[in-house]
Amino acid sequence: MSVDDALAALPFIVLAGGAVLVGALARWLRADERSWMLLAVVVAFASGVGAALIGGGADGLGGLLRRDGLSVFVVVLAAASAAATALLETAHRAHDARGGARAAALILLCASGVSLMASAGDLAVAAIGLALLSVALAVLARPRHESVRGSLPYAALRRSAIAPLLFAIGSALILADTGSTRIGALASTNTVGQVGIALLLAALAQTMALVPFHVLAPDIDAGAAAPVAGYVAIVGRLGAFALLLRVAAAVTASGNAEADWRASLAVLAAVTMTVGSLVALAAPSARRALVFMAVAQAGVIAIGLASGGAAAPASAFALAVLVVLVGGAFAALQGLAGGDARVEDLRGLARRRPLLVGAFGVLTLGLAGLPPTAGFLAKVYLFEAATDARLAWLVVLGALSMAISAVCAFRVLLACLGESVATVPGRTGVATAVAVAAAALVLLLGLAPGPLRDAVQGVRF
Amino acid sequence: MIVTAIVVVPLLAAFVCAMPVVSRAARPLSVAAGLAVAAIGAAALLGAPDLGAPDLRTSWAPGVGAGYVVAVDPLSAAFLMLLGVVFATGAAASAGVGHRRAYFTLWDLLLALLAGLFIARDLLLFFIFWEACLVPVGILLWAWGGTGRRSATLTLVTRDLLGSASLLVGIVSIAVARGTLDLDAIAARPIPAGVQLLPAILCLGAFASRLPLFPLHGWLPRVYVAATTPLAIVVAGGLATSAAYGIVRVCLAIFPQGMSAAAPVLVALAAVGVLYGALVASRQDDLRRLLAFMSLAQLNLIALALFAATATSLRGAVLATISHGLVIGAALLVAAMIARRTSSFALSRAGGLASSAPALAALFTLTTFAAIGLPGTSGFSGTVVALAGAYERFPAATAVAALVFAVAAVAGLGAVRRAFHGPPLASGAELRWRERLLVVPLLALVVALGVAPRALTDRIGDETLPSVDLGR
Amino acid sequence: MTLLLVVALPLSSAALLAIVGRRLGRRSAGAILTGGLALAFAAALAIGQAFAAGKTSLVAEVWTWLPLRGADLVLRIDPTTVPLLILFTGVATLVALSALGSLAREDDVARFGAAFAMTLSGTLLVLLAANLLLLFAGWEIVAAGTYLLVAHRRDRPAASVAAARAFVVARVGDAALLVAILSLLAQFRTVDIAEIAQHLTGFADQPEALARFGAALFVPSVLVLIAALARSAQVPFHAWLADATEAPVAATALIHTVVAAGGVVLLVRLAPFLHPGVLAAAAAIGALTAIGGAVVALAQTDARRLLAWSTASQLGLLFVAAGTGGAYAALFVLIAHALAKTTLLLAAGARGTRGGAVAFAVGALALAAVPPAAGFFGIAALAASVPDRPALLVAILGTVLLTGLYTARLLAAPRSADRSTTTSTLLALAPAVALALAALAFGGLVAGGAISLGVAAAHPAEPMLAASGAALALIGLAGGTALRRWPRRIGLPSRLEQSARSGFEIDALYRLAIVEPFRAAAHVLDRGTERVLQQSEDLVSAAVVGAGELASGAHRRYARASEAVVLASALALALYWALR
């Protein structure tokens, strides 16, 4: 095992090792939930910093693991959101010690799955990462009332198996067609290979929660507590985004399927934006509204994926912003209303928690792409790339659905005004801090996008 | 750097207003912020150095070619003056408002955003100010508004967002076509005439729905009725003005041929809108609705002049826009004073106020005269110059729109008659000094612009106006 | 400078009264009003003196105004307008003096004075403006001032209705005038009246160019005519003048003589570039109004309404003069009518006194064109100016006869027919007497050559025509006296008389043709279009939200079958890729 191999595998090893460590130690050590979460924070933080410091370089394990701008970018984002989620969980205290350890392990496991997907140079590695991610997410996201000790969430597991299954079948078909599972060598020559690519796309679309595959996305109907819900909404998209970019690069390189690939993604993007924003508008609960606004945003990012290689930095920019927006918005929502509050229940919060509502407002408006947040710039960059790629119709549709999304954001934000009737969760320190930090970051990036823009220039395929 | 101060000063005011300790000082501070904006605008109009040329050209959002470019030319300066005056008046009229800190923070934030809109010389920067305005407006309308505020906010926000979406698509298409969004750079390398129509219409979508051009005005009466008086003043003098400015600065400047091609249809719509507004106004019982439709008529007249786009009509449009802000602002204030005395905005419940409140009657009569364009008021100079300019290119539509002189008179004088004539009303107390101080400065400006409009229009040179005459 | 003062003095009186008037007492408000007007009159006299001494033109360039070519604040006066300037300022001064006497104690002198001075200054602007837009501004100021004057009695609902009606009719004319001006501006690139006239005379030797201009000038000429008809209460805009008698007496006097004459002033001033066909139409309409108005006046039972219709009729004669190019005759009749009518209106309130009764009688005779009053000379000049138009001549002479008839009825009217109460006999009486004297003496002075009207008569007066005019007037007077006495019917068939009394039902026609359609259109737009528009706004919102609900509902429905949905979608995707 050479140094390159070790460096390429390091983030995964740290994250997965951390997950195993937490899981194993919890058998032997008695510690409260907060300690486990802090341990997870440390592990995630370490892997993120490590990945960032290592940076790009030669591939490891004979090309099974890539180490380039894309993988670094996605791993850092995944590790950062895992760390932030675990940090929020310390304040949330929804679990007993046992549950806390399990949640911490699952959070790390998800991140490790994403790190595998992000650096996969081979469909098999990607499939493993996807499977890891899907299963861990399904367990993490299941409603709390189901998490009765000892009972396995069969239904959730069954659902989570679909995406890896589709991916595996697709990989197998491609293997049958081309004789290789290397992503770089992915080139369809006949119908079997084509169907394989289609199945890969279906699996990744499901992981990215693109409509109509979003129905199986773990975050849609999850009863998970707000911080985890935010994480669930983000982390799958990170892995899927990386893989989609890699597969797209291969498909584009092979030439003959590029038009179909882009058309499929364009249609998916169009449907996702439209349905996501419309459902968000009618959503009864604030959490659901946020989830579907995030779905719509994922659709906008899919515009970038459909626009070809030149749009990759723009998509990456949007993805990074989406992570901050969703994470921050869910943190704010947790501070505001705790669980699954209806939109009307937010009434009067603006007077009780002005700072938190302010941050929440900035984040939701950013999620709808309103200036001067970074969400707006992400939208503009993507639209520009799409116009350049002659997808003007998609831009029009995107602009319209973002307008509807903005109406939804206004609806949620304005619901917080008025005379106070809401009950406010007691301690909201950490949530407020995270939300305010996220809002500030989003505003800062909106006014000075240069640094992030430079950072994502390395994301190419 | 002094140009940036136009945005920074109100932003600072907003920040200070948000502090808990200065709650009492929030209103005077907001008035001062408005006056400061007006003062900088006046200084720029009078030709203070260092204000004309764009300053602080920084690339800000690379990739789409957007930069932070701000400058004040006479056109911006004229609108900034109006904006400052309107906001100062509105803030002064906001005595006794609830939740003072939040209110004035949002108020000054809105001022900062609108002021930024008038100085932005980069399309993306312009768009940011344009769309961000909606947030404070929406919150102010929703949280402080009266009856019907929900549907008003929803309608306003929805229409404006849809319009903004269309503008954004237009801006993105320019960015792709030109690689820069700096207005001066785009003007230096014009877009080919053949492909101007579509982006012009896309950009116009936003401006037409915020102005509003007939028949996109559905939100206007609702907002006038639901909003607090200060907010309604700001909507008339700030939001609508920003749309007129956008048409000049973006549509006409970048797409002269495209706008010219679309002009016949647009002018026809505007002419219909002028008469429509005046006719519908004559049937209103709610004074605010009446003013909303009078305002609609005037705004469509402005649109008519803008679409005709001759040098004269553009000057007239600028004049008429400023006049509209001042006159409708004054009229809304007086309407609120009437409503305070009759405890309703319904004209059918008013009447006979003239005998108990003669000064109120005089002010309202003067305001109405200004609104229907009597000589000596800015309503006359704006309307006549705008019509004179538009007549050069579109005589038929302009002649139809000129009928507004007769139709608006029916509506305006009907309001005067119903509110002030008839048997005296017991509760109608005479104006207090504070109330007079609010309205009189506005009316003084109205008269000044009516008598000496060239003090303003002569400072707006031909080179700042994207008129079709230049191309000839 | 003097020229500027003539306009500025009444205007500043108006502004002063409007702003600080209510703080002043009745007396000082009156002093400001009459002082301003009297000084303007003095300035006008000084100008007249200068012109009599041989000056031919006077220009006052005040300031720039609108950003349009020629649209500056410039006043210009030529010999034709000097007599009118003196007449308007003089009559207004006298009327204002009498107003101080006749306004009731509780009336708001300052408010009345502001509107009064404003109206006068507007008229002076119409008279003196060097460019069309300044003229238009004056035109509008007159309309607004008239509105304020008629609406002066705020407790009378009829007054405010009449005022709004007068203003709206005026505004229809204003809109027409504005479009005419815009059209002239577009053609000549200037609004300066002299420049436009010069431009046209430059083509005098090129018939083709003139013909082209003639065609282009047709529409603006028609519009100018409409404006003039509306202002001078000619058919079909004549109804507002009768309603405007709701104003205080002094205001009525000003409206009848100064305001309503504005239409004629407009026609005379713009005559150089009006289409000849339109001028002929003006004369025809004038003749129609002259005869019709006189018949309606004859059928009235209310003295003030009778006088209003009489004014319309007399202004019709002026239109005949202006339409046939008889500037001399137009000026003469205008002045004669103004003096006679003001005398009548002012003296009507003071008929209880001997002086008042005499002044009233003199005014009546002057109105009826009985020699040696000014009206007689005016009619003579007018009749002489239409030698080749027998129809017009018949109309003029017929009007003279009818005027005699209704003047006789007026003289027989009971004195209580007038509503106004006199508070100060001297103040009310002295102006009336002065005006009566002027009405008596003026005609003789002009005919004798002692006063010049600035223009020479185009046709020498024909003694035969003058004599027949005088004879007809006397016959009319005699006949009227012989008719059955006031206020009973004049003896026409009942239905016809009823119809004549209400202005030949043209009022109803007006309501049917304009007011009701306007109301209906506004109603339909408000209750129909606007409501539909608002509903469609809601519908759009509801549709968007509904689509969301639908998607949300579908989502919930498929929640149980989510795996099937995903598999089906994946299958569809695979099929697409396989079959492409």
Side-chain angles (χ1 to χ4, degrees):
Chain A
M1 200 172 180
S2 71
V3 178
D4 278 338
D5 297 347
L7 287 181
L10 187 72
F12 170 70
I13 292 172
V14 172
L15 287 168
V20 173
L21 188 70
V22 171
L25 282 182
R27 291 250 163 219
W28 311 105
L29 287 180
R30 289 227 167 269
D32 68 347
E33 174 216 3
R34 194 185 290 204
S35 327
W36 299 123
M37 283 298 172
L38 283 177
L39 182 60
V41 170
V42 169
V43 170
F45 191 71
S47 77
V49 170
L53 286 180
I54 294 166
D59 296 346
L61 297 177
L64 281 183
L65 288 178
R66 305 281 303 274
R67 192 150 63 86
D68 55 6
L70 176 60
S71 73
V72 173
F73 171 73
V74 171
V75 169
V76 168
L77 275 186
S81 44
T85 310
L87 191 67
L88 272 179
E89 281 287 320
T90 59
H92 190 46
R93 303 185 75 111
H95 312 277
D96 53 7
R98 186 107 196 197
R102 194 169 60 179
L106 285 170
I107 288 170
L108 289 177
L109 209 57
C110 287
S112 73
V114 170
S115 79
L116 261 194
M117 289 166 81
S119 46
D122 193 285
L123 288 175
V125 176
I128 295 171
L130 184 58
L132 209 54
L133 172 72
S134 299
V135 174
L137 267 186
V139 181
L140 187 63
R142 84 201 140 117
R144 196 165 312 136
H145 57 83
E146 285 180 20
S147 73
V148 183
R149 185 184 160 85
S151 72
L152 269 172
Y154 289 114
L157 282 177
R158 191 179 70 228
R159 289 156 158 232
S160 71
I162 289 182
L165 202 64
L166 287 174
F167 196 87
I169 297 173
S171 306
L173 288 177
I174 288 168
L175 177 67
D177 182 23
T178 62
S180 162
T181 55
R182 283 300 151 95
I183 295 180
L186 190 153
S188 65
T189 50
N190 58 19
T191 310
V192 176
Q194 302 281 6
V195 171
I197 293 176
L199 291 181
L200 291 189
L201 182 57
L204 293 176
Q206 191 200 325
T207 318
M208 195 145 171
L210 297 183
V211 177
F213 298 97
H214 72 293
V215 286
L216 277 189
D219 54 334
I220 299 298
D221 292 310
V228 169
Y231 184 63
V232 168
I234 293 165
V235 74
R237 295 200 169 103
L238 285 173
F241 171 78
L243 269 180
L244 276 170
L245 271 187
R246 287 207 194 287
V247 174
V251 170
T252 311
S254 78
N256 57 350
E258 191 193 353
D260 290 310
W261 176 263
R262 286 177 54 179
S264 310
L265 268 172
V267 169
L268 281 175
V271 177
T272 306
M273 291 182 308
T274 317
V275 172
S277 54
L278 282 175
V279 174
L281 192 60
S285 84
R287 192 191 62 80
R288 214 174 145 83
L290 282 186
V291 164
F292 275 95
M293 282 168 76
V295 166
Q297 269 290 335
V300 177
I301 294 178
I303 295 182
L305 294 175
S307 308
S315 313
F317 185 93
L319 190 71
V321 172
L322 181 65
V323 167
V324 180
L325 285 171
V326 171
F330 274 95
L333 192 60
Q334 182 214 345
L336 283 176
D340 215 5
R342 298 188 324 139
V343 174
E344 296 82 54
D345 295 342
L346 299 175
R347 206 170 142 216
L349 282 171
R351 299 197 57 202
R352 307 282 290 273
R353 294 269 183 277
L355 194 60
L356 197 52
V357 167
F360 183 61
V362 169
L363 291 164
T364 40
L365 292 174
L367 210 46
L370 245 70
T373 61
F376 167 70
L377 278 185
K379 182 172 83 170
V380 171
Y381 283 140
L382 283 169
F383 285 177
E384 194 225 357
T387 311
D388 228 357
R390 305 195 166 278
L391 287 174
W393 66 276
L394 212 49
V395 173
V396 172
L397 205 60
L400 284 179
S401 47
M402 281 298 103
I404 296 175
S405 241
V407 175
C408 175
F410 266 103
R411 172 172 165 256
V412 175
L413 175 61
L414 294 177
C416 300
L417 306 173
E419 290 308 310
S420 180
V421 293
T423 49
V424 185
R427 303 182 325 121
T428 56
V430 178
T432 309
V434 171
V436 169
L441 185 62
V442 161
L443 280 179
L444 198 67
L445 282 177
L447 297 175
L452 181 60
R453 176 89 190 159
D454 292 341
V456 298
Q457 285 306 321
V459 179
R460 302 222 168 256
F461 56 79
Chain B
M1 281 315 284
I2 193 157
V3 176
T4 305
I6 294 175
V7 183
V8 172
V9 167
L11 265 188
L12 276 181
F15 189 72
V16 174
C17 286
M19 297 291 114
V21 278
V22 289
S23 153
R24 197 164 287 276
R27 192 162 70 100
L29 191 67
S30 303
V31 174
L35 291 179
V37 169
I40 300 178
L45 198 64
L46 296 174
D50 309 330
L51 283 170
D55 71 350
L56 214 69
R57 244 182 225 279
T58 20
S59 178
W60 150 76
V64 287
Y68 180 79
V69 188
V70 292
V72 179
D73 67 354
L75 187 67
S76 314
F79 284 141
L80 279 172
M81 280 172 66
L82 169 68
L83 189 72
V85 168
V86 162
F87 267 83
T89 310
S94 302
V97 77
H99 310 306
R100 211 179 297 158
R101 268 169 63 200
Y103 180 89
F104 284 107
T105 305
L106 289 166
W107 183 269
D108 290 335
L109 185 65
L110 181 59
L111 172 60
L113 292 172
L114 281 170
L117 189 149
F118 287 122
I119 60 171
R121 279 313 180 77
D122 179 278
L123 271 179
L124 202 68
L125 196 62
F126 175 88
F127 182 83
I128 285 178
F129 287 125
W130 171 269
E131 199 170 24
C133 286
L134 261 192
V135 178
V137 168
I139 297 178
L140 282 171
L141 183 55
W142 179 277
W144 280 271
T147 339
R149 67 201 166 86
R150 281 163 189 278
S151 93
T153 316
L154 184 70
T155 324
L156 171 67
V157 165
T158 316
R159 298 310 170 270
D160 218 281
L161 282 171
L162 287 177
S164 301
S166 144
L167 175 60
L168 183 63
V169 175
I171 288 180
V172 166
S173 70
I174 299 170
V176 171
R178 279 289 165 269
T180 177
L181 288 173
D182 187 329
L183 278 169
D184 298 337
I186 297 174
R189 205 155 65 90
I191 294 169
V195 296
Q196 283 187 358
L197 185 59
L198 188 64
I201 296 297
L202 281 175
C203 291
L204 192 64
F207 304 135
S209 81
R210 190 182 277 189
L211 189 62
L213 177 69
F214 176 83
L216 304 173
H217 63 272
W219 59 268
L220 188 76
R222 297 185 191 198
V223 169
Y224 273 47
V225 170
T228 54
T229 304
L231 184 63
I233 294 173
V234 163
V235 168
L239 278 193
T241 308
S242 73
Y245 176 79
I247 293 178
V248 178
R249 185 61 91 205
V250 178
C251 284
L252 291 174
I254 305 183
F255 314 110
Q257 285 94 349
M259 289 299 288
S260 201
V265 177
L266 296 173
V267 160
L269 277 181
V272 170
V274 171
L275 279 193
Y276 180 87
L279 269 170
V280 175
S282 70
R283 299 291 299 179
Q284 301 306 317
D285 185 47
D286 188 311
L287 196 47
R288 289 168 303 184
R289 271 180 76 84
L290 188 144
L291 288 176
F293 284 105
M294 295 278 270
S295 163
L296 176 70
Q298 289 189 34
L299 288 169
N300 275 275
L301 188 83
I302 292 166
L304 173 75
L306 289 175
F307 296 144
T310 63
T312 308
S313 79
L314 288 180
R315 275 207 189 85
V318 172
L319 207 53
T321 310
I322 291 173
S323 162
H324 166 261
L326 296 173
V327 170
I328 296 292
L332 283 164
L333 281 174
V334 179
M337 292 167 194
I338 294 172
R340 203 169 298 142
R341 284 161 179 77
T342 61
S343 56
S344 147
F345 277 96
L347 282 170
S348 49
R349 296 207 198 152
L353 273 174
S355 28
S356 51
L360 183 63
L363 283 185
F364 191 70
T365 311
L366 180 56
T367 319
T368 311
F369 277 163
I372 61 183
L374 199 76
T377 65
S378 58
F380 178 82
S381 49
T383 311
V384 166
V385 178
L387 287 176
Y391 193 88
E392 289 172 27
R393 277 186 76 196
F394 299 101
T398 310
V400 169
L403 282 179
V404 74
F405 264 86
V407 182
V410 177
L413 295 182
V416 173
R417 182 168 60 76
R418 284 186 282 171
F420 291 104
H421 291 265
L425 201 70
S427 63
E430 178 59 315
L431 282 184
R432 290 190 299 260
W433 274 109
R434 181 174 289 184
E435 291 176 316
R436 286 181 207 209
L437 277 180
L438 278 179
V439 186
V440 167
L442 289 184
L443 290 179
L445 283 175
V446 164
V447 171
L449 273 181
V451 176
R454 285 182 70 166
L456 178 74
T457 52
D458 279 0
R459 297 185 188 281
I460 303 175
D462 278 337
E463 69 283 351
T464 47
L465 293 173
S467 65
V468 287
D469 305 342
L470 285 181
R472 273 186 201 155
Chain C
M1 190 61 203
T2 356
L3 193 54
L4 174 61
L5 278 181
V6 172
V7 180
L9 282 169
L11 203 58
S12 39
S13 293
L16 205 61
L17 286 172
I19 294 168
V20 296
R22 263 172 307 111
R23 265 165 247 303
L24 301 174
R26 205 179 145 79
R27 191 164 297 223
S28 27
I32 289 178
L33 171 65
T34 47
L37 298 191
L39 286 175
F41 181 44
L45 283 177
I47 292 171
Q49 195 71 42
F51 271 83
K55 218 173 181 53
T56 53
S57 160
L58 199 59
V59 178
E61 289 181 16
V62 186
W63 208 20
T64 59
W65 188 38
L66 293 177
L68 296 168
R69 189 173 148 78
D72 292 326
L73 295 178
V74 177
L75 304 176
R76 190 178 293 145
I77 188 166
D78 51 33
T80 336
T81 35
V82 172
L84 287 180
L85 180 66
I86 296 171
L87 172 78
F88 287 166
T89 48
V91 165
T93 310
L94 289 174
V95 170
L97 266 178
S98 88
L100 295 184
S102 66
L103 279 179
R105 282 232 177 271
E106 66 274 16
D107 258 332
D108 190 344
V109 175
R111 195 157 57 82
F112 178 82
F116 193 91
M118 176 175 160
T119 313
L120 177 70
S121 53
T123 312
L124 296 180
L125 266 185
V126 172
L127 199 60
L128 302 178
N131 65 66
L132 291 168
L133 279 173
L134 194 57
L135 184 151
F136 179 66
W139 192 259
E140 292 259 291
I141 291 175
V142 173
T146 310
Y147 167 80
L148 292 174
L149 284 176
V150 178
H152 181 73
R153 301 232 160 95
R154 283 162 160 171
D155 47 343
R156 292 175 59 90
S160 67
V161 171
R165 185 171 177 186
F167 191 65
V168 171
V169 170
R171 272 276 166 147
V172 172
D174 293 352
L177 182 58
L178 178 63
V179 175
I181 292 173
L182 295 183
S183 158
L184 290 171
L185 171 64
Q187 283 180 50
F188 296 102
R189 305 245 146 236
T190 179
V191 287
D192 193 294
I193 296 172
E195 262 186 69
I196 295 178
Q198 207 172 18
H199 203 273
L200 278 175
T201 46
F203 286 101
D205 49 348
Q206 301 169 11
E208 278 179 25
L210 266 191
R212 204 177 62 240
F213 269 124
L217 283 174
F218 181 70
V219 172
S221 302
V222 168
L223 293 171
V224 167
L225 178 62
I226 291 176
L229 294 176
R231 177 57 47 86
S232 289
Q234 299 295 294
V235 173
F237 302 102
H238 52 269
W240 71 266
L241 192 60
D243 293 341
T245 47
E246 287 292 341
V249 171
T252 312
L254 190 75
I255 290 169
H256 278 229
T257 54
V258 176
V259 172
V264 184
V265 174
L266 182 74
L267 280 189
V268 171
R269 288 208 64 192
L270 301 192
F273 38 92
L274 291 185
H275 193 275
V278 171
L279 283 177
I285 295 176
L288 182 67
T289 315
I291 294 279
V295 170
V296 177
L298 191 56
Q300 294 305 312
T301 51
D302 178 292
R304 292 179 74 173
R305 292 187 80 86
L306 186 153
L307 286 176
W309 285 106
S310 145
T311 300
S313 160
Q314 294 285 314
L315 288 171
L317 292 182
L318 288 177
F319 267 67
V320 173
T324 50
Y328 174 78
L331 272 179
F332 210 142
V333 180
L334 198 165
I335 295 171
H337 167 250
L339 293 173
K341 191 55 64 66
T342 325
T343 310
L344 273 176
L345 281 163
L346 294 190
R351 283 176 75 193
T353 62
R354 179 169 301 171
V358 171
F360 191 79
V362 170
L365 292 179
L367 181 67
V370 174
F376 163 71
F377 294 98
I379 294 294
L382 182 61
S385 73
V386 287
D388 46 350
R389 310 274 268 282
L392 290 180
L393 191 60
V394 168
I396 292 168
L397 293 178
T399 308
V400 171
L401 178 66
L402 287 167
T403 309
L405 281 171
Y406 69 66
T407 309
R409 267 174 71 71
L410 185 65
L411 278 170
R415 286 161 197 186
S416 60
D418 196 85
R419 280 189 294 267
S420 74
T421 49
T422 308
T423 50
S424 161
T425 321
L426 181 65
L427 266 182
L429 196 54
V433 172
L435 284 165
L437 287 176
L440 266 185
F442 173 75
L445 288 176
V446 176
I451 301 178
S452 158
L453 284 185
V455 283
H459 307 275
E462 290 181 37
M464 263 309 293
L465 277 176
S468 56
L472 280 171
L474 286 172
I475 292 170
L477 271 176
T481 320
L483 270 176
R484 280 176 257 170
R485 293 182 64 85
W486 188 276
R488 289 157 60 187
R489 301 180 33 218
I490 52 171
L492 289 171
S494 154
R495 176 169 286 177
L496 186 63
E497 184 167 344
Q498 198 66 41
S499 159
R501 191 169 295 158
S502 58
F504 289 118
E505 311 292 349
I506 203 116
D507 209 19
L509 192 69
Y510 173 78
R511 182 164 292 130
L512 209 67
I514 297 173
V515 177
E516 289 306 327
F518 178 88
R519 285 225 178 112
H523 187 79
V524 165
L525 288 182
D526 180 36
R527 288 296 141 100
T529 317
E530 183 60 23
R531 184 165 288 184
V532 167
L533 225 134
Q534 291 292 340
Q535 278 168 353
S536 64
E537 289 279 338
D538 288 333
L539 213 64
V540 170
S541 307
V544 173
V545 174
E549 302 269 1
L550 206 68
S552 213
H555 201 267
R556 226 168 288 132
R557 209 165 308 131
Y558 294 132
R560 276 185 224 115
S562 52
E563 287 143 63
V565 169
V566 166
L567 289 178
S569 310
L571 193 65
L573 206 57
L575 270 179
Y576 166 73
W577 278 73
L579 298 177
R580 73 190 175 84

